[in-house]
Amino acid sequence: MSRIGKQPIAVPSGVTLNAQDGVFKVKGPKGELTVPYNNELTIRQDGDQLLVERPSDQQRHRALHGLTRTLVANAVKGVSDGYTINLELKGVGYRAKLAGKNLEMAIGYSHPVVIEPPAGVTFTVPEPTKIDVSGIDKQLVGQVAANVRKVRKPDAYHGKGVRFVGQQIALKAGKAGATGGKGKK
């Protein structure tokens, strides 16, 4: 049996749930999300826990079981706690600031890079070299953070660029250097 799919999902207080016709709706203090799921699976509430069950042990049902449980758990956590991904800028003169809701970064280009957040995602800049991407939809927050990082990925030789906090960059060795000779004869 699926180890992930059979785990119950804890439902925090203040969160309302509704699962019918292949759509799971969850509403909480931070917002509202809908998660589509396969009609063959059942989602039922048992007290303060949520259970995802499958009709058979067919390979397709086993695959959908763990996936559906994880998507539902992410939605429940998102509307109650929310998600935040922290990024940091490494490099001389690299900095970020907020211009209204938009994120404006100076990261080595001849012009500032402006990124507009999609609905449901907010940027905060606690320090000029730190960026926090927050929202209730885990997938959307992760995609926006990846798009911000993509503007200037960490350089393999110097480590400069936008990286996730705690991300280790394996630096490549530079040139071997001159041997002191004037070349081949």
Side-chain angles (χ1 to χ4, degrees), residues 89-96 106-109 128-129 152 160-162:
L89 305 174
K90 292 280 186 178
V92 176
Y94 287 16
R95 62 190 177 280
I107 49 177
Y109 295 120
T129 58
R152 177 72 83 174
K160 300 183 339 181
V162 181

Side-chain angles (χ1 to χ4, degrees), residues 20-161:
Q20 62 184 9
D21 299 330
V23 177
F24 177 75
K25 294 181 181 178
V26 59
K27 187 182 242 182
K30 295 212 176 244
E32 183 176 345
L33 286 175
T34 59
V35 177
Y37 69 95
N38 193 312
N39 277 341
E40 298 175 30
L41 299 175
T42 57
I43 299 176
R44 67 178 177 88
Q45 190 167 0
D46 185 23
D48 63 344
Q49 292 184 336
L50 205 57
L51 299 171
V52 178
E53 298 167 340
R54 64 178 184 231
S56 72
D57 276 344
Q58 291 179 10
Q59 199 280 332
R60 190 169 66 85
H61 290 150
R62 289 195 318 262
L64 288 171
H65 191 206
L67 171 71
T68 303
R69 188 258 176 214
T70 300
L71 293 175
V72 168
N74 288 346
V76 169
K77 183 176 185 267
V79 297
S80 60
D81 300 334
Y83 290 99
T84 301
I85 295 181
N86 304 318
L87 301 168
E88 62 184 352
L89 305 174
K90 292 280 186 178
V92 176
Y94 287 16
R95 62 190 177 280
K97 66 179 179 178
L98 286 177
K101 291 182 178 180
N102 298 343
L103 178 67
E104 188 175 306
M105 297 186 294
I107 49 177
Y109 295 120
S110 62
H111 59 282
V113 177
V114 178
I115 298 176
E116 185 176 336
V121 175
T122 58
F123 293 122
T124 55
V125 182
E127 296 177 25
T129 58
K130 303 226 183 271
I131 302 167
D132 296 339
V133 183
S134 303
I136 62 172
D137 187 350
K138 185 176 187 176
Q139 188 273 332
L140 184 61
V141 169
Q143 185 63 53
V144 171
N147 290 344
V148 170
R149 182 180 177 271
K150 194 189 304 183
V151 172
R152 177 72 83 174
K153 285 186 179 178
D155 177 24
Y157 293 98
H158 305 293
K160 300 183 339 181

